[in-house]
Structure formats: C-alpha cells, structure tokens
Amino acid sequence: MLRGVEDAATRLEQVGYLASPEIATASFLADRLAKPILVEGPAGVGKTELARALARALGREFIRLQCYEGLDETKALYEWEYAKQLLYTQLLKDKIGELVQGSGTLGEAAERLAASDAVFFSERFLLPRPVLQALRSEKPALLLVDEIDKADPEFEAFLLEVLSDNAVTIPELGTLSARHVPRVVLTSNNARELSDALKRRCLHLHIGFPDRERELRIIRQRLPEVSPTLAAQVVEAVAALRELDLKKSPSISETLDWVRGLALLNAEVLSAERVAATLNLVLKHEADLEKAREQLARIAQA
C-alpha cells in the first residue's frame, strides 16, 4: 500500500518510472481508494508502462487485457475447457454407463446425468481469462485494461459491472468473489468517446507529452550510456518537432528510439545531417517527414 504521494513517486522511480506530481497523486489515490484509474493521452507517452510500474511498486501480479473491436466476455472473463471435459467423459464412460444403468426412460437417464453436472462444470475445467484471473488470483493483482477505447460500448458496460462488484457470476458455479480486490488501470488513446458511466466510476488521469526537463531525466535514466550533450539536443529537437503541425507528434518511446539509433551511429552531437538521416525513427508519416525536412535547420539548431 502506498503511504502518500511522495511515497508513490519514490516507489515508482525505484522501479524505473519517473512520475510527475499528477501521476504520483493519481497512483496514490487509486491505490488507497481501491478505485479504477482511467489514463488517457496520446500513444507512447507511458500509459501502459505506468500500469506495469505501479504493479511492481505495489508488489502485485501484473495481468493485462488487450482490448480490440469485437472483444467479448469469453475472451476477457472465462471459457470452459471443452477438450478437457471431453477427455474426462471418455475416461469416465464406464462410470457414466453405471450411472444410467437401469433407467426406464431417456428422461430418467438424463435426470441422473444432470445430477452429476458439477463433475464436469467445476473450477477444474474453467479456463480463466484476464478479468477472472485478476479476481481469483492467489496473490493481489493489478489488472491493465489496455486501450479500452478500442472495445465496443457493450463490453465497456459488462466490464464495469464486473469490476464494481469485484465478483462474477458463472451460471454453472454461482458467484465467484475476488480473493483480493484488484487494482485496475484502464488506458485510452481517445479513439472514441468513453461513456459517462465509466468515467464516473474511475479516477481520471491525462498523460501528455513531458516537459523538457522530465523527458531528459527519462532519457538519462533509461539510457545512461548516452552522451549528455546528445540527449539534451535530442530533447530540444523533439520539442521543436512537436511545435509543427504534424499528423502524429513524437512520443516518449519514439524519442528513446531516436536516441538509441543515434548512439548506435556513434553520434556525439545532433547535426543537420544526422537529423535528416534519422528522422524516420521519430516521425512515422511521410507528410510529417516532409514538413520536418522543410524546417531541418531550425530543428537541428534547437
């Protein structure tokens, strides 16, 4: 359990995540209130990494549910292992024969079999998916629902019902309650507007592009072997790129890729030639590359 905002920031930094005051505050409150936290922002700014780091900081098992269009509860909650059930049926066919022996009608035989449903519909044959794994984990867990905006609204409603009760009802088994109330992080890239119902039930956190100081600290922490001069110049160049009217501005992950690439090229400083040769590491659309090339000198001198 996090003891305060400063403790949250310290423990996140210890596992490699440099949290802003807003991120540390939201992490602390989500833990102490045991409420889901909805993290929104552009792709590549550290939303998923925050969930991983928070799980490590809290000593919780990390469980991830990747959302996509058409995701339903069988992929998120549980499935029955039909192949295993069939195998047991074959192995126990003699016992099944003894069970129905002497039945006067098909109906009576069916009734005898129905009385033994619990043999084949038990947790032994249950295949838990991420949501049920988080609820039934022997160790306290953190569930990441990644890119919830890609899932259908119907799945969003189903997920909220399960998480609000910290339990799930399986017709054949009844209600299964959480062994430990999981911490939940939901991420969104704003591909669609999320429902008010979801937003009401979650703490909200928006992670945008970091300021220069924090981005430089991230680079120095992740890539300590890189020249401080090169790291500082890349941060300034990325800031200049983000000021352009781009289809997709560079994220933190792309900044790190750029620095790694330049380091492999043995670059000590960021020259105009190096910028021109490596812009594709940080910009992923041809139209953005064309705009950046027009401002090449300004970016290199930033």
Side-chain angles (χ1 to χ4, degrees):
M1 181 178 290
L2 299 175
R3 296 187 297 273
V5 175
E6 290 185 6
D7 182 50
T10 299
R11 287 166 68 172
L12 286 170
E13 185 170 355
Q14 288 172 346
V15 296
Y17 191 94
L18 294 175
S20 66
E22 294 80 9
I23 293 173
T25 301
S27 299
F28 165 67
L29 292 175
D31 179 44
R32 294 299 289 271
L33 296 174
K35 290 194 66 171
I37 178 172
L38 173 61
V39 188
E40 296 186 296
V45 294
K47 302 186 298 296
T48 299
E49 188 57 32
L50 171 61
R52 294 183 190 276
L54 191 56
R56 292 195 296 268
L58 294 171
R60 287 176 171 262
E61 179 183 0
F62 178 74
I63 299 173
R64 179 178 181 177
L65 171 63
Q66 177 63 52
C67 296
Y68 53 86
E69 187 177 353
L71 176 66
D72 59 21
E73 62 182 81
T74 60
K75 297 299 183 184
L77 193 56
Y78 72 93
E79 289 183 283
W80 289 109
E81 290 193 271
Y82 295 113
K84 191 174 179 180
Q85 288 173 321
L86 182 60
L87 175 62
Y88 271 60
T89 301
Q90 294 298 319
L91 294 174
L92 298 175
K93 61 182 180 180
D94 292 338
K95 288 295 182 182
I96 294 173
E98 293 175 9
L99 182 66
V100 299
Q101 189 175 11
S103 300
T105 63
L106 287 175
E108 184 181 348
E111 287 294 330
R112 291 187 183 184
L113 288 174
S116 301
D117 274 354
V119 174
F120 295 100
F121 289 96
S122 63
E123 290 198 51
R124 178 186 296 109
F125 300 103
L126 195 65
L127 184 63
R129 296 302 186 186
V131 174
L132 187 58
Q133 287 174 8
L135 292 174
R136 301 295 288 170
S137 174
E138 296 289 346
K139 179 182 177 182
L142 183 145
L143 173 65
L144 167 63
V145 184
D146 214 4
E147 299 183 309
I148 181 66
D149 51 323
K150 290 186 177 179
D152 300 321
E154 294 78 11
F155 176 76
E156 185 183 319
F158 151 76
L159 185 65
L160 283 177
E161 182 179 0
V162 172
L163 295 178
S164 63
D165 296 335
N166 291 305
V168 59
T169 299
I170 298 176
E172 296 85 355
L173 298 180
T175 300
L176 299 180
S177 299
R179 291 192 172 103
H180 306 280
V181 176
R183 299 295 177 265
V184 182
V185 176
L186 304 98
T187 71
S188 168
N189 295 333
N190 297 314
R192 68 172 175 85
E193 184 68 23
L194 299 175
S195 69
D196 290 338
L198 180 131
K199 292 182 178 180
R200 282 197 307 272
R201 289 168 173 80
C202 296
L203 299 179
H204 184 265
L205 173 65
H206 182 272
I207 299 180
F209 299 119
D211 58 31
R212 289 171 171 82
E213 180 184 353
R214 181 165 170 255
E215 191 156 25
L216 183 57
R217 288 180 63 207
I218 292 171
I219 294 173
R220 298 300 299 146
Q221 182 192 63
R222 297 291 183 88
L223 305 170
E225 71 281 2
V226 171
S227 158
T229 300
L230 178 62
Q233 289 179 340
V234 168
V235 166
E236 293 299 330
V238 168
L241 286 171
R242 288 175 183 155
E243 292 174 359
L244 301 178
D245 183 20
L246 301 178
K247 184 174 182 180
K248 182 186 181 303
S249 293
S251 66
I252 299 173
S253 60
E254 287 157 344
T255 301
L256 291 169
D257 287 342
W258 200 11
V259 176
R260 288 190 188 99
L262 290 166
L264 287 173
L265 293 171
N266 298 315
E268 291 294 328
V269 295
L270 189 62
S271 64
E273 292 76 15
R274 288 295 191 193
V275 173
T278 58
L279 264 178
N280 59 302
L281 293 177
V282 73
L283 298 178
K284 305 302 173 65
H285 297 277
E286 186 59 33
D288 290 348
L289 285 167
E290 290 300 325
K291 287 180 182 179
R293 290 189 183 109
E294 293 172 2
Q295 303 288 330
L296 202 58
R298 185 172 71 86
I299 294 167
Q301 292 171 7

